[in-house]
Amino acid sequence: MAISDAGGPVETAPPAEDGYRVTTVELFFDLVFVFTITQLTGVLAHELSPVGLLRVVALFGVLWWIYSGYAWLTNTVAPTTTLRRLLLLVGMAGFLIMALATPRAFDGGGVAWGLGYLVVVLVHGGLYAQVNRQILRVLPVNLVAAALVIGAGLTSGPPTYALWIAAVLVPIAAPYVIRPGGRFSLRAGHIVERNGLLVLITLGESVVAIGIGLSENPLDTRTTVAAVLGLALAAALWWPYFAEDDLRAESALTRMDDARRTGAIMNAYFYAHIPLMLGIVAAAAGVKKAMAHPVEALHTGPAVALGAGVAAYLLGDAAFRRILRIGSPAIRVGAAVLSLAAIPVGALLAGEAELIALVLIIVAALLTERRSTGGPG
């Protein structure tokens, strides 16, 4: 994405709040991107360890930066022409290559992952340059990130991890080094809808983890109860974000001037959504493991992934609320702490017990918010 001297994107014609919404080609694009995210769930479920978590965080960091760049791109460059749609399809192909290479990104698949990322970066820069050539001052930073990933694929051991971490940090540090100057106005409705749809699709894909986890079990009372509990957790995570906060967020952003809106979108929809999205990935990995043997005690890794994933999601959501000033984050922070306290429930009793505890924690938090504010919660 193009960066301003204050860390926001560079200037182009300020769009009016004209009702411009997410197009079907953007939704199509997001479906491919979410496939890449769900591959991260598989990576974490396969290796529920600090090393597995480090790999997922590194992969997600690189992915999230460029996805946010595409969200800002289509907020400015509406994909309404044949050429723009075709270029987005090429970008989707790049994400698909990255998704397919994700399971082996640290073990022989890094070059393919990096080449897919290179395609995504070039398409992003080419589309952005149609309306604002200042993107060409930022494009080299994204190309460096792609080169670092390709370089990581050519190495092994600690250098691989060092190059991946550098690929995450270089673009994020760019706003503090590169000063193209200028700003542009972002459409509040489009940003809110685009990111909301992404969260929704990712939550929906997390339900797939239920089916995968239960695929080798007979469909009896126990597995049915486990499946319903998994769905209940996904619904409990959906509720705090979508009950009314998405509408409040759009209203809050619309009332801001251009400079404040750009900063708020960066903080709320880039930074605060990092723990939120990673939380979904971790929780889905935990659910997948819990479904395999729902009435048995979980190993430490799955129990931690489940509880810590929900906690990270709630902390990201609390930060999102605080940044946009759309509600008190205190109760959700408290619920996040209690979610961590639920980890021993899964480790000592059963996966089903931890799922029940997590659902009850979120429901209790929402009911407490409703009583304290008088709102729908």
Side-chain angles (χ1 to χ4, degrees):
M1 70 184 71
I3 305 298
S4 76
D5 54 353
V10 295
E11 186 173 4
T12 186
E17 288 298 323
D18 55 4
Y20 170 58
R21 293 295 187 178
V22 175
T23 61
T24 53
V25 70
E26 291 173 85
L27 182 57
F28 189 18
F29 183 97
D30 287 355
L31 290 171
V32 176
F33 175 75
V34 169
F35 173 53
T36 312
I37 295 296
T38 57
Q39 289 284 78
L40 297 182
T41 298
V43 170
L44 188 58
H46 179 71
E47 188 175 357
L48 278 167
S49 67
V51 172
L53 179 60
L54 175 61
R55 291 182 174 187
V56 167
V57 170
L59 288 162
F60 178 81
V62 178
L63 282 168
W64 189 238
W65 171 261
I66 198 63
Y67 173 81
S68 297
Y70 270 86
W72 287 31
L73 164 68
T74 53
N75 189 276
T76 304
V77 184
T80 53
T81 68
T82 300
L83 177 60
R84 292 174 182 176
R85 289 169 177 165
L86 288 174
L87 284 172
L88 277 182
L89 290 173
V90 174
M92 289 163 59
F95 272 116
L96 181 61
I97 293 170
M98 294 159 69
L100 296 174
T102 289
R104 300 185 67 248
F106 285 80
D107 185 26
V111 173
W113 205 101
L115 291 174
Y117 188 73
L118 179 62
V119 171
V120 170
V121 165
L122 290 174
V123 170
H124 176 262
L127 275 169
Y128 227 137
Q130 294 183 17
V131 296
N132 192 336
R133 297 189 66 81
Q134 292 232 38
I135 187 64
L136 299 178
R137 299 180 64 177
V138 180
L139 179 60
V141 176
N142 293 334
L143 291 175
V144 167
L148 288 168
V149 174
I150 293 171
L154 298 172
T155 62
S156 61
T160 300
Y161 291 91
L163 289 169
W164 269 100
I165 292 171
V168 174
L169 296 179
V170 165
I172 294 176
Y176 305 99
V177 179
I178 299 175
R179 307 286 185 179
R183 292 181 179 277
F184 69 78
S185 175
L186 294 171
R187 296 176 174 92
H190 178 271
I191 286 290
V192 171
E193 184 179 11
R194 182 77 186 269
N195 283 273
L197 285 170
L198 178 68
V199 172
L200 183 62
I201 296 169
T202 307
L203 280 172
E205 286 294 326
S206 71
V207 177
V208 175
I210 300 171
I212 295 174
L214 290 173
S215 60
E216 296 184 3
N217 293 341
L219 185 58
D220 54 20
T221 302
R222 288 181 175 180
T223 56
T224 301
V225 170
V228 171
L229 286 173
L231 179 61
L233 180 62
L237 294 175
W238 170 88
W239 201 284
Y241 189 97
F242 290 101
E244 276 195 352
D245 280 6
D246 53 341
L247 300 177
R248 292 170 182 160
E250 182 175 349
S251 178
L253 290 171
T254 302
R255 292 194 301 269
M256 296 178 185
D257 59 37
D258 291 349
R260 287 183 59 221
R261 183 186 301 173
T262 297
I265 288 172
M266 173 66 84
N267 291 327
Y269 285 97
F270 179 71
Y271 289 111
H273 272 59
I274 291 174
L276 193 149
M277 294 293 292
L278 281 173
I280 297 174
V281 170
V287 167
K288 183 178 179 181
K289 290 293 186 180
M291 291 297 107
H293 305 284
V295 297
E296 297 178 9
L298 293 173
H299 293 298
T300 301
V304 170
L306 188 53
V310 171
Y313 179 93
L314 292 171
L315 288 174
D317 189 47
F320 173 73
R321 295 189 110 207
R322 185 179 184 279
I323 291 165
L324 297 181
R325 299 181 180 180
I326 57 175
S328 172
I331 294 174
R332 298 187 186 189
V333 172
V337 173
L338 290 175
S339 297
L340 293 175
I343 292 173
V345 175
L348 298 175
L349 298 178
E352 281 188 350
E354 187 174 357
L355 286 170
I356 292 171
L358 291 169
V359 171
L360 290 177
I361 288 168
I362 298 172
V363 170
L366 294 175
L367 290 175
T368 302
E369 284 182 354
R370 182 173 185 177
R371 285 195 297 268
S372 62
T373 63

